[in-house]
Amino acid sequence: MTLIREAAAPATTTVSVLGTPRLLAGVVEGGRVDLAHHRALHGDLVLRRRTWLSGALHDVNLLGRGGAAFPVAAKLDAMPLGRVNIVVNGSEGEPASRKDRVLMTCAPHLVIDGAVVAAHALGARDVTIVIHDAAAHESVRLAALERSDVAGMRIVRTHDGFVGGEIRSVINGLNGAAAIPGGRRTLPHVRGVGGAPSFASNVETFAHLALVALLGVDGYARTGSTAEPGTSLLTLIGDVATPGVVEVPNGVPLGMLFAGQPDAPVLIGGYHGTWVRGVAGLVVERASLRAAGSPLGAGVIARPYAGTCVLDEVVRVSRWLASESSGQCGPCFFGLPALSDDMAALAVGAGTDRLASLTRRVNLVRGRGACAHPDGSVQFISSAVRTLGDELETHARHGSCGRPASTVLPLPAGGS
Amino acid sequence: MSSIEVDWTRCDAHGLCSRLLPEVITLDEWGYPVIDGSDLDRDLVRAARKTAMACPALALRVERRP
């Protein structure tokens, strides 16, 4: 259980495993897994009927890995019969996340297997894999060349940011429009790529789908927790036991990912995520983390180092979140800059009036946009204010805490 | 039950809605509508429909919910 092996992935991200690897089988020892190695590790591809797959996904409670944790069985069941297509979202817009590009770079055949399994079950002919990262794109492209079962598979490189990575933006982009979400919440299973219904999910979701088909319910459920069998890919950042991408069995305590500093602030879920103080009692399980008010999101978990100024980091990311508004919706376009100004003012010692203004604006931005960006950004900012009360008090009293700024949270080039 | 839905990608903060339906709609500090409560009073549904039709950006919809 505590065995942690490490290896350098082709990218600069460190890859490690807690327990037995599934998605990252073969990766930790040898890097990228080619088709022959993939088949030797996992066996031949197993295609399943739609009803079998739906039942199995329900039984193993597979939840989407893009951030919303939507039940994949329900997504599959919502697909109509007739002309449908598959969209594999590997755009990984979350700036702190590395798990999707590591998966595509190191285990591309598992992702493609998942797409083939879904396409077979739904009778879909067209599969589109959308990738932002260059190395991941190259790896999946080369993997597709090794196979004979990928006719009708399109591998598309995208160049869009955080909001552009949301699935409705991705689909608008594929349809030739701007890669921003539409005003009405039209879901992909109603109208997706080319106007046809799309079964769309994150790359890690598809890799798990392949594993469910390969292993069956009992085999898949041999690891993980009862409520959520299987494993998860996390991106760990900053003062953590193993920085980088790690595959863990679901149900492990979050405390196992850290050493020391039991009451330090931790960011769970990414830049649309939640700041908490300490992780006592929390486990890697999407439903229980959501119930605790700190959803796992895209699997990013970050902890600033002791002796650094977390508020500084919160201000930096808040500014970036404000700059990422696509400018479609007024409350987000005007509200997020105002909120990040409030946050910056609090960090240089503004008092309770400014805190009241921030609280009022939080309620003016939340829920008033076409996509999850305003809500997620507000979650990041408001949870920081809630969690970092001691730090805010020090800053209010002295105008600063005198510590060097924490700089563990990455921003895309040019974004900081 | 009916409710007023805003298409935030269309709304340009003209502010006409809050003048036509001040019982339900106020404006935030940037001029965008803040809608009070999710369910419309029955006697306001007609006025809400008229307001939605008057919106210069066609950003409002009155939706009936089961």
Side-chain angles (χ1 to χ4, degrees):
Chain A
M1 189 72 163
T2 51
L3 177 69
I4 297 173
R5 288 168 294 176
E6 287 191 25
T12 48
T13 309
T14 304
V15 178
S16 60
V17 166
L18 194 62
T20 313
R22 277 249 175 106
L23 300 168
L24 299 180
V27 171
V28 171
E29 302 82 1
R32 185 175 182 277
V33 175
D34 65 11
L35 185 60
H37 190 192
H38 171 72
R39 291 281 176 249
L41 284 165
H42 296 283
D44 282 337
L45 179 61
V46 182
L47 298 175
R48 306 281 193 174
R49 285 172 186 277
R50 176 173 178 158
T51 44
W52 185 95
L53 196 61
S54 165
L57 292 173
H58 184 266
D59 289 347
V60 302
N61 188 26
L62 182 64
L63 304 173
R65 301 305 171 89
F70 190 78
V72 182
K75 194 177 265 191
L76 191 78
D77 292 345
M79 290 298 294
L81 297 170
R83 194 171 71 94
V84 299
N85 55 57
I86 308 289
V87 179
V88 183
N89 188 2
S91 51
E92 195 162 46
E94 167 69 51
S97 181
R98 294 290 176 273
K99 57 124 181 148
D100 289 342
R101 69 197 73 177
V102 161
L103 180 65
M104 289 182 285
T105 306
C106 298
H109 288 287
L110 210 48
V111 175
I112 296 177
D113 277 359
V116 172
V117 166
H120 175 82
L122 289 168
R125 227 175 283 162
D126 300 333
V127 173
T128 308
I129 307 182
V130 182
I131 307 171
H132 176 82
D133 181 67
H137 178 262
E138 184 61 7
S139 168
V140 174
R141 195 183 67 79
L142 291 175
L145 290 175
E146 286 185 275
R147 307 172 60 128
S148 56
D149 57 352
V150 291
M153 186 171 287
R154 251 198 320 165
I155 300 163
V156 179
R157 183 103 194 270
T158 60
H159 301 277
D160 304 302
F162 198 0
V163 171
E166 184 170 326
I167 190 62
R168 290 176 305 134
S169 307
V170 166
I171 285 172
N172 282 341
L174 288 172
N175 287 339
I180 47 178
R184 291 189 174 211
R185 291 180 188 264
T186 310
L187 293 170
H189 74 264
V190 177
R191 204 155 54 96
V193 174
S198 297
F199 178 78
S201 198
N202 163 273
V203 279
E204 188 194 339
T205 314
F206 279 95
H208 284 288
L209 219 143
L211 289 173
V212 170
L214 278 163
L215 300 169
V217 171
D218 292 344
Y220 185 88
R222 216 162 279 153
T223 186
S225 69
T226 317
E228 194 182 350
T231 64
S232 290
L233 291 179
L234 305 175
T235 308
L236 303 182
I237 293 170
D239 186 19
V240 292
T242 55
V245 172
V246 56
E247 180 176 11
V248 302
N250 294 334
V252 299
L254 253 61
M256 281 182 74
L257 310 173
F258 303 98
Q261 279 209 78
D263 297 322
V266 174
L267 176 65
I268 299 178
Y271 296 176
H272 284 168
T274 310
W275 287 94
V276 299
R277 197 168 280 279
V279 293
L282 299 180
V283 296
V284 177
E285 211 176 74
R286 286 165 178 80
S288 81
L289 283 173
R290 181 177 299 261
S294 48
L296 189 57
V300 172
I301 297 175
R303 184 167 76 168
Y305 291 97
T308 62
C309 176
V310 185
L311 279 180
D312 204 88
E313 183 117 67
V314 170
V315 170
R316 196 167 56 86
V317 173
S318 302
R319 286 231 160 91
W320 180 81
L321 287 167
S323 75
E324 280 293 293
S325 172
S326 71
Q328 289 199 104
C329 307
C332 174
F333 183 70
F334 293 106
L336 293 185
L339 275 172
S340 71
D341 285 348
D342 289 338
M343 197 68 230
L346 289 173
V348 293
T352 47
D353 284 0
R354 203 63 195 251
L355 190 58
S357 130
L358 181 142
T359 309
R360 184 173 51 79
R361 284 172 173 157
V362 157
N363 292 318
L364 282 180
V365 174
R366 188 179 277 144
R368 295 174 79 218
C371 75
H373 188 59
D375 297 34
S377 302
V378 158
Q379 176 73 2
F380 180 92
I381 292 169
S382 61
S383 67
V385 169
R386 207 166 50 233
T387 302
L388 304 173
D390 293 353
E391 286 83 350
L392 282 167
E393 205 180 308
T394 306
H395 280 242
R397 196 168 300 156
H398 307 290
S400 138
C401 61
R403 295 174 178 154
S406 170
T407 53
V408 298
L409 299 178
L411 293 177
S416 55
Chain B
M1 277 304 185
S2 298
S3 66
I4 301 178
E5 302 293 326
V6 184
D7 182 338
W8 295 106
T9 66
R10 287 175 176 256
C11 179
D12 280 330
H14 292 90
L16 196 60
C17 53
S18 81
R19 289 178 172 241
L20 294 174
L21 202 62
E23 301 91 333
V24 183
I25 302 176
T26 53
L27 299 181
D28 67 16
E29 60 185 287
W30 308 291
Y32 292 86
V34 178
I35 295 166
D36 178 32
S38 52
D39 290 328
L40 267 177
D41 277 348
R42 195 166 292 189
D43 51 331
L44 284 173
V45 172
R46 247 179 94 98
R49 289 230 167 78
K50 279 190 172 167
T51 304
M53 284 197 285
C55 172
L58 300 178
L60 296 180
R61 294 195 301 283
V62 178
E63 288 201 341
R64 204 181 306 224
R65 284 183 305 191

